[in-house]
Amino acid sequence: MGYTMRYFAADEGGITLPQIEAALRQINPAYAVVNTDVPDIGDLMFGTLPLGIIEINRPGDDIFDDDIAEFTDLVGAGDSPGQQRVREVLANTRAIIAVEASWQGAEAEPVLSRLDPLWDWLFAQTAGLLQADNEGFYDGNDLILERRFML
């Protein structure tokens, strides 16, 4: 079982999978991004524990354009501060760093806790928001807009 988490980076500054891997390996050398034959897609690992498929989508990619349009529609036109903030970030997103997390019948917590350093690093590197399926949008550790949807 698994689900997708997406970081909407508003000023991506050229984030790449090798850059992400290098940052995570500084935290713990057990992190690796493997099977990167296709640009911007790979398997994120922690030692022998597969964390999921990591992918970077950019403007002009079909997935990027579809995700921005769908999330903008799902957020709605309300004026709550959370909705306004999410719409602002979606309008300015320059990259979507997505992880299709997978725990393949095991406990979810070990996988999700190993993904936390990735999100922490992205928040430290670039303005943006994290979206987690069946939860909503986070600004750091704060849930700013609860939306229980999955794309």
Side-chain angles (χ1 to χ4, degrees):
M1 169 102 201
Y3 68 92
T4 302
M5 302 172 78
R6 298 165 185 87
Y7 188 86
F8 292 87
D11 56 344
E12 59 103 6
I15 291 174
T16 65
L17 290 181
Q19 184 183 16
I20 289 171
E21 181 180 34
L24 291 174
R25 288 182 66 80
Q26 285 185 344
I27 296 165
N28 189 315
Y31 283 103
V33 179
V34 299
N35 300 324
T36 57
D37 297 335
V38 177
D40 289 334
I41 299 175
D43 295 322
L44 183 57
M45 305 287 295
F46 185 82
T48 61
L49 176 66
L51 302 178
I53 298 169
I54 186 167
E55 180 173 352
I56 302 174
N57 295 295
R58 303 175 198 285
D61 295 344
D62 289 340
I63 292 173
F64 178 93
D65 297 336
D66 289 347
D67 279 359
I68 294 295
E70 288 183 49
F71 278 106
T72 299
D73 187 50
L74 290 169
V75 166
D79 341 339
S80 76
Q83 286 174 300
Q84 291 175 357
R85 172 88 170 105
V86 171
R87 280 196 307 271
E88 175 187 312
V89 168
L90 290 173
N92 292 303
T93 294
R94 299 295 163 252
I96 302 170
I97 298 89
V99 175
E100 185 180 338
S102 177
W103 40 89
Q104 304 171 359
E107 293 290 318
E109 187 54 36
V111 170
L112 296 177
S113 67
R114 294 292 183 197
L115 291 173
D116 287 343
L118 169 63
W119 311 128
D120 293 342
W121 181 79
L122 286 167
F123 276 112
Q125 296 302 308
T126 179
L129 294 174
L130 175 65
Q131 180 274 331
D133 285 350
N134 286 326
E135 293 180 45
F137 286 87
Y138 289 85
D139 192 351
N141 291 325
D142 299 324
L143 180 64
I144 63 165
L145 183 63
E146 185 175 353
R147 288 289 189 265
R148 298 192 176 273
F149 46 70
M150 294 177 67
L151 291 187

